[in-house]
Amino acid sequence: MKKNRLLSALLLSVLLTSLLALPASAVGDGGAPAASGSAILSSMNIQAKAAILVDDDYQEILYEQNAHEKNYPASITKVMTTMLVIESVDRGEHSLDEVVTVGDQVELGIGSGGSGVGLKAGEQLRLEDLLYCALTASANEACNALAQFISGDVASFVDLMNQRAAELGMKNTHFANTHGYHDDDHYTTAYDIYLMCHEAMKHPTFRTIVSSKSHTVPTTNLHAERNLHETNALVSTWRITGYWYEYATGIKTGSTPEAGYCLASSATKNGKNLIAVVLGAENPKNADGSTNRLQFSESSRLLKWGFDNFSRQTILDQSAMDFPEVGVTLSSGTNYVTVQPSGSLEATLPNDIDPGAFQRQVDLPESIEAPVQAGDKLGTVTLTYAGQEYGTLDLVATSSVERSELLYRLDRIQKFFDQLWVKLVLAAVLVLIVVLILFALFSGRRRRRYSGSRGRRYSGRRR
């Protein structure tokens, strides 16, 4: 009897261990060699506190130098002010021909030495002329006039500026006024300025103004005719000569003692559009006593460098087949499938960078179940270079794999019995069966003993 009990307990232990054992899973990963460097990139350095160059057609950064560090924007602020006004025109809320009466907050926050065109409260002029005053002549009071016209007061308009900055992803920007006159709480970054300029350049009215060399404001009720001239020496030679750039299309100058000399510039060449931002440049003296206005010379150098040394290149396409194979289970034929990118990725790159130097981050399962159809998404591949992400493509199956119905049914049965609750129920049933067997064995033994005792007692009485 002891042997029977020991055998039953051993059998129960083995069954429970087998039923409750959970399958192990394997995890695979892949990698690629680190991207090699670029002599073109390493050779560039801008003489300024911060700078950035962006392929504006694709919003790809070509060069950056302290691009996310906070700096004062000075009059580049006026890009946001005028863009908000132009957006209201595009929405049909106002018209460029609409006559604006300059409000009583025209001089708000403007200290001595600020640029202006002599606007006075009560003066009347067209909205379009006010925009030219703000952008072409960089007039501080024109920005306050625009703000009060749009929002009723300057403070409410500044709130709109900060709201729009947040919408554009300008995470390190805060505006305290409409014009950029120095305020310690008025700051941004080269990258944020690019985001703002990219949005502003979408508007034809804005592009027309910032690329214009001059503009005439007709006589108003309080002032004679004004002839305005562009402050950007890349666009106009009226104020400063020696920096004109034939491909320049804008955008805005800015300078204060605290901000240094700043320029957001744009250029178009052979259908390619670049935007550059240079912040905190100096104006040192040359050996001959002339002034080197670095905000202009460094900006044009950066733009020319971008056009001359970068090109659009394919960095991944469907011809790439060197990806890990994906195992296929429950198939009636092959037990793996190959993958390829679902399309192509392009990037504007320095001409000395090999597209093969990009690092691939591949996300693929080790195996999948059949059936698989050609073109099914099985994973992704992301390309990076020097820590910058250039895009992600789906990895799709290159062929179809049919499912084995027999293997599929067997797998479903196995998966059913692999469920924890099923294992627990089966274990409980087995325990119950063993208990019943033991109980039956024990009860049978007792009955045999009892029957034997009665038989002996009965036989003794007859004798």
Side-chain angles (χ1 to χ4, degrees):
M1 183 60 191
K2 290 182 178 180
K3 289 183 178 180
N4 290 336
R5 291 180 181 177
L6 182 59
L7 181 60
S8 298
L10 181 60
L11 177 62
L12 176 61
S13 176
V14 172
L15 287 171
L16 286 174
T17 302
S18 175
L19 286 168
L20 295 176
L22 296 176
S25 59
V27 178
D29 57 3
S36 60
S38 164
I40 291 174
L41 284 174
S42 60
S43 66
M44 174 54 68
N45 182 68
I46 294 299
Q47 297 182 66
K49 289 182 179 178
I52 194 169
L53 177 68
V54 185
D55 181 340
D56 196 45
D57 296 318
Y58 302 97
Q59 290 189 273
E60 292 181 9
I61 297 173
L62 308 185
Y63 174 81
E64 55 183 328
Q65 177 180 308
N66 304 323
H68 296 278
E69 290 187 6
K70 292 179 181 178
N71 281 284
Y72 300 124
S75 286
I76 295 178
T77 300
K78 291 161 184 167
V79 171
M80 176 62 78
T81 301
T82 55
M83 182 179 71
L84 288 177
V85 176
I86 292 170
E87 286 178 341
S88 74
V89 171
D90 290 346
R91 290 193 298 267
E93 299 169 3
H94 298 284
S95 166
L96 291 175
D97 291 329
E98 189 171 351
V99 175
V100 177
T101 300
V102 177
D104 57 1
Q105 295 183 329
V106 63
E107 297 290 339
L108 185 65
I110 301 174
S112 61
S115 55
V117 292
L119 291 173
K120 300 296 181 183
E123 185 173 358
Q124 296 181 327
L125 65 166
R126 293 186 313 144
L127 180 59
E128 183 178 26
D129 293 325
L130 264 182
L131 289 169
Y132 272 95
C133 288
L135 287 171
T136 304
S138 198
N140 290 340
E141 72 268 33
C143 295
N144 282 338
L146 289 168
Q148 195 170 4
F149 170 70
I150 294 295
S151 297
D153 63 86
V154 171
S156 297
F157 187 85
V158 172
D159 287 341
L160 287 181
M161 294 171 68
N162 286 308
Q163 177 183 326
R164 192 72 177 102
E167 292 171 354
L168 294 176
M170 299 169 65
K171 297 180 180 179
N172 295 302
T173 295
H174 182 264
F175 294 113
N177 57 56
T178 65
H179 37 69
Y181 195 87
H182 181 70
D183 186 306
D184 287 344
D185 199 33
H186 189 93
Y187 55 82
T188 185
T189 69
Y191 175 73
D192 284 2
I193 288 175
Y194 162 70
L195 294 177
M196 175 176 67
C197 290
H198 169 77
E199 188 68 21
M201 292 292 278
K202 292 179 180 179
H203 301 277
T205 298
F206 184 89
R207 292 198 306 271
T208 297
I209 295 174
V210 297
S211 62
S212 299
K213 294 178 175 61
S214 62
H215 179 76
T216 299
V217 179
T219 301
T220 70
N221 60 324
L222 297 179
H223 201 285
E225 180 181 273
R226 295 176 173 93
N227 292 311
L228 312 179
H229 297 277
E230 175 58 48
T231 60
N232 183 358
L234 270 62
V235 172
S236 170
T237 59
W238 191 86
R239 296 172 184 267
I240 302 171
T241 60
Y243 301 98
W244 180 77
Y245 181 42
E246 60 181 314
Y247 300 110
T249 57
I251 300 175
K252 188 70 191 78
T253 58
S255 64
T256 64
E258 297 82 2
Y261 295 92
C262 309
L263 178 64
S265 57
S266 60
T268 300
K269 181 179 180 181
N270 297 328
K272 182 178 181 179
N273 298 287
L274 301 181
I275 289 180
V277 180
V278 171
L279 301 178
E282 298 179 355
N283 280 185
K285 292 293 184 179
N286 297 316
D288 60 1
S290 61
T291 300
N292 185 0
R293 303 181 187 277
L294 290 174
Q295 73 272 34
F296 299 124
S297 60
E298 290 295 85
S299 293
S300 61
R301 184 168 73 92
L302 192 55
L303 290 166
K304 293 173 184 177
W305 176 77
F307 286 125
D308 293 343
N309 293 282
F310 288 76
S311 59
R312 198 71 183 164
Q313 299 184 43
T314 299
I315 56 178
L316 185 65
D317 60 21
Q318 291 182 327
S319 65
M321 296 293 293
D322 53 338
F323 292 97
E325 296 171 346
V326 178
V328 180
T329 61
L330 311 182
S331 65
S332 59
T334 181
N335 59 356
Y336 71 92
V337 67
T338 58
V339 298
Q340 67 180 16
S342 61
S344 63
L345 283 178
E346 295 182 340
T348 305
L349 301 175
N351 294 332
D352 65 347
I353 286 185
D354 179 3
F358 277 74
Q359 184 176 12
R360 296 181 184 179
Q361 297 175 358
V362 178
D363 182 12
L364 277 174
E366 186 175 279
S367 65
I368 57 172
E369 290 184 0
V372 178
Q373 297 296 322
D376 283 352
K377 175 184 175 181
L378 302 185
T380 60
V381 56
T382 300
L383 291 192
T384 60
Y385 181 85
Q388 181 177 342
E389 185 174 312
Y390 279 81
T392 299
L393 287 178
D394 291 341
L395 291 174
V396 299
T398 60
S399 58
S400 300
V401 180
E402 295 184 359
R403 182 175 69 189
S404 167
E405 290 303 318
L406 174 60
L407 293 178
Y408 174 73
R409 298 301 175 189
L410 291 174
D411 182 71
R412 295 286 84 81
I413 293 172
Q414 179 184 339
K415 282 184 168 52
F416 174 78
F417 284 105
D418 279 344
Q419 297 179 86
L420 182 59
W421 72 270
V422 175
K423 293 180 179 181
L424 293 174
V425 170
L426 290 176
V429 170
L430 285 173
V431 170
L432 180 60
I433 291 173
V434 171
V435 169
L436 291 176
I437 291 172
L438 293 175
F439 179 77
L441 291 173
F442 181 74
S443 297
R445 183 178 178 186
R446 288 189 62 188
R447 282 196 298 272
R448 286 195 298 273
R449 287 179 179 177
Y450 179 72
S451 299
S453 298
R454 287 186 61 188
R456 287 195 296 272
R457 287 197 296 271
Y458 181 73
S459 298
R461 283 196 299 270
R462 292 193 63 178
R463 289 196 299 266

